[in-house]
Amino acid sequence: MEVVVLETPAEVASLAADTIEDVVRRREATGTPAVLGLATGSTPLATYEELIRRARDGRGPSYEGVETFNLDEYVGLPDGHEQSYLATIRREFTDAIGIQPERVHGPDPTEETLPAAGERYEAAIVAAGGIEVQILGIGSDGHLAFNEPGSSLASLTRIKTLTATTRKDNARFFGSPEAVPHHVLTQGLGTITRAGHLLLLATGEGKAEAVAAAVEGPVSATCPASVLQLHGHVSVLLDEAAASRLVRRDYYREVYSGKPDWQGL
Ligand code: GLP
C-alpha cells in the first residue's frame, strides 16, 4: 500500500479530488462512465467540497452517467430521515455535482425486504461493472464502512450491530448515542476489497492509533481496516496528525517525494 503523508486536511482533499477526477475523465474517454464508491462521515466532506468547487468553476470533468455506491446505511430510521446515508450523500455531494439521483445507490434498509438486501446490493454492484475507486474513512476503532472489529475479512454486504464506541462517535449526527440506530447494512470487507482502487482518507489525531494499527499492525479482524494490506492497489492519504503514530513515517515521506511524475496514485 502507498502511504502519503501530507501536511493538512486540505492537501488530503485536494489529492483525493485529483484521483477521483482522473478516474472520471479516463472512463469518460472510453464512453463508459465511472462507477465510484462513496463514503459518508466527516472525513471525505472536504474532498466532496473540493470536487464541487472545481465543477462549479468549470474545471471538473463531466459527471454525466457516473454511478455511485455508498458503503453502508442505517437500519430503522423513518423514511426520508436526513441522517440516512443515502440522503446524506445526495445532500453533501451527488446532487451538487450533477449525478442523477437514480444513479446514486446505497444498501436498502426497507424492513420487509431486509433479509435479501445484502445479496441485492452485491448484485447491483456487479451489474454496474464493479466499483473502480472506493473512498474510505476509518473509524476510531479501526472499522471500515460499518464492519466493526471481529468482522470477517471475507464478508459481503449484510446486517451488522454497531459497537457502543461507534454509536458514541456518531452521536453528533443524532443528538445523543441513544438516538443512533443499533443496526446497519454495510458492504463487507470482501465487497470493499473487490473495488479496483481503495483510497483511505484519515485526518486528525483521533485517527492516529487506528491508522497505525491498519497500516503497520497485523492483518486481523480485530482491526478491520488492516484488510487493506491484502489489496493490490491502496492509497492511504493522511495529514500529519493522523500519521503521527506511524513508525515508518519518514520512509513513506521519502518514497512519496521521490515518486516519478508519470506515476499517479
Ligand atoms: C462511520 C462510517 C464510516 C466512516 C467512519 C469514520 O461510522 N460508517 O464509513 O468512515 O464512521 O467517520 P468520520 O470520517 O466522520 O470520522
Side-chain angles (χ1 to χ4, degrees), residues 50-85:
E50 176 67 13
L51 287 166
I52 292 165
R53 199 173 312 122
R54 293 181 191 184
R56 289 200 171 134
D57 293 353
R59 290 179 290 142
S62 159
Y63 289 86
E64 178 77 37
V66 167
E67 202 147 354
T68 70
F69 285 87
N70 274 0
L71 283 170
D72 42 17
E73 185 56 278
Y74 291 109
V75 170
L77 292 178
D79 248 6
H81 193 286
E82 59 162 19
Q83 289 306 329
S84 93
Y85 278 168

Side-chain angles (χ1 to χ4, degrees), residues 41-54:
S42 312
T43 312
L45 265 182
T47 300
Y48 298 148
E49 282 162 9
E50 176 67 13
L51 287 166
I52 292 165
R53 199 173 312 122
R54 293 181 191 184

Side-chain angles (χ1 to χ4, degrees), residues 39-44 71-72 85 137-139 143 145-146 166 170 172-173 207:
T40 42
S42 312
T43 312
L71 283 170
D72 42 17
Y85 278 168
I138 185 169
H143 74 229
F146 270 139
T166 299
N170 289 6
R172 65 192 192 279
F173 299 112
K207 298 297 169 69

Side-chain angles (χ1 to χ4, degrees), residues 52-132:
I52 292 165
R53 199 173 312 122
R54 293 181 191 184
R56 289 200 171 134
D57 293 353
R59 290 179 290 142
S62 159
Y63 289 86
E64 178 77 37
V66 167
E67 202 147 354
T68 70
F69 285 87
N70 274 0
L71 283 170
D72 42 17
E73 185 56 278
Y74 291 109
V75 170
L77 292 178
D79 248 6
H81 193 286
E82 59 162 19
Q83 289 306 329
S84 93
Y85 278 168
L86 198 59
T88 301
I89 207 71
R90 287 193 51 185
R91 184 176 62 244
E92 291 177 343
F93 182 51
T94 56
D95 281 353
I97 207 134
I99 300 177
Q100 293 91 330
E102 65 276 13
R103 294 190 204 275
V104 178
H105 310 282
D108 174 10
T110 310
E111 215 176 310
E112 300 74 48
T113 55
L114 212 45
E119 232 170 279
R120 279 206 315 276
Y121 201 54
E122 292 291 328
I125 295 172
V126 171
I131 292 167
E132 183 149 6

